[in-house]
Amino acid sequence: MRLSRYFLPVLKETPSEAQIVSHRLMLRAGMIKQASAGIYSWLPLGYKVLRRIEQIVHEEQMRAGHIPMLMPTLQSAELWRESGRYDDYGQEMLRITDRHGRDMLYGPTNEELITDIFRSHITSYRDLPLTLYHIQWKFRDEIRPRFGVMRGREFLMKDGYNFDVDKDAALHAYNRHLVSYLRSYERMGLQAIPMRADSGPIGGDDTHEFLVLAETGESEVFYDSEITDLRFGDRAVDYDSVAECQAVLEEFTSRYARTDETHDEATFHAQVPEARRRSARGIEVGQIFYFGTKYSEAMGAVVVNAKGERVPVHMGSHGIGVSRLLGAIIEASHDEKGIIWPEGVTPFHAGIVNLKQGDSAADAACEGLYKALISKGFEPLYDDRTDRAGAKFATMDLIGLPWRITVGPRGLEKGVVELTSRRNGESEEMSPEAAVDRIAQIYG
Ligand code: P5A
């Protein structure tokens, strides 16, 4: 993309309505624009990162054997009356009446809709296990939408639903989700810690929230500091292996880590030596639930098991806050100049800054780099405007591309350009060809 032809409405001023750094930076970097309270338009740069996060989520869900689909945003109130949640959900639910006077709602989650799909088509344990998921907009009429995309009213969620013949099989699905979530967050450059939590309106007793530690997080958390040393890393887990998935669950959840809803001071003291006790704040970027037969019993989602008995199907649901993740990543990765995107989610792989637009050698070298990167499958953002160098650097720092290639007539006389890391500011001179190779290596 050439910046002269892109739509990147960066703001010079710090927007006064934004209280936390990720919200400020998303507005300043021209990623989002508020449409109304808690509802945002995703401008091109923000949309690009959103799509990259979605892509990682899709890849990791499919790797775990979960099946993508798409359900609508608007749902009929009937299904929610069947489960009993129509009244329970209260004012958070946006209720709509259509022209025929039918009660509709903008889905805050999809347990009812997916259970209805399941009961219409599946009657035998032979069709299980089954996990379906989608990435779709949700609406919750939050009383205090704030912090930009962190607590929106309209927000993008990946929500997945497992259907299993009994509790053991459903707990394996729970563990599989935990493993796939650990992998997903690490690919986004985040450490998200599973913590025992409360299940709220979704239901069930088994639930973990995934929290990214950050001062601006809305949740208060208590944990054993040893947990922050755990990394999922590159390990290959067989998602069909009950033992392997269970081992990961045990490794990541055996130490004390709870949100304030389930925190118990006496247990904390009994289990964790004082030097390792931590209390902090965290951003909830996902949550997994096992709720057994709560919905299947209420809605008649029944299968015939191997013994020929009709049993309600065991279920769980599993959510990732896709749009919230942009805020969480920025909270975890920024400096005073702007965002620092982890390579896994960056909107462009590298920025190209032409220090002297109009200089024939600089222009030609930038064009060469731009085309070479594209031909290798990368997306560069080429700042081909006539602005002064300082302004170009400030924009690149603000929007946070992890790598910048700077091209100027003086360097070119020696046959070099400069490759700079956004994270540590270190620069290295090299030939344009070597810069392209280095980018290829980094993203290899
Ligand atoms: C799990 C999937 C559920 O709704 N039903 C389907 C279950 N879980 S949840 O914890 O309530 O939401 C899942 C994740 O969505 C994000 N989230 C939000 N993001 C932005 N703004 C909001 N108002 C908001 N509410 C929830 C969180 O990341 C949460 O973990």
Side-chain angles (χ1 to χ4, degrees), residues 108-109 111 140 142 149-152 155 157 159-161 202 284-287 289 317-321 323-324:
T109 176
E111 281 79 7
R140 293 182 186 174
E142 301 274 353
V149 300
M150 289 276 211
R151 179 161 297 280
F155 60 96
M157 189 202 287
D159 40 327
Y161 304 85
I202 307 294
E284 179 204 328
V285 291
Q287 188 164 2
F289 302 81
S317 70
H318 315 276
I320 292 185
S323 48
R324 176 179 285 181

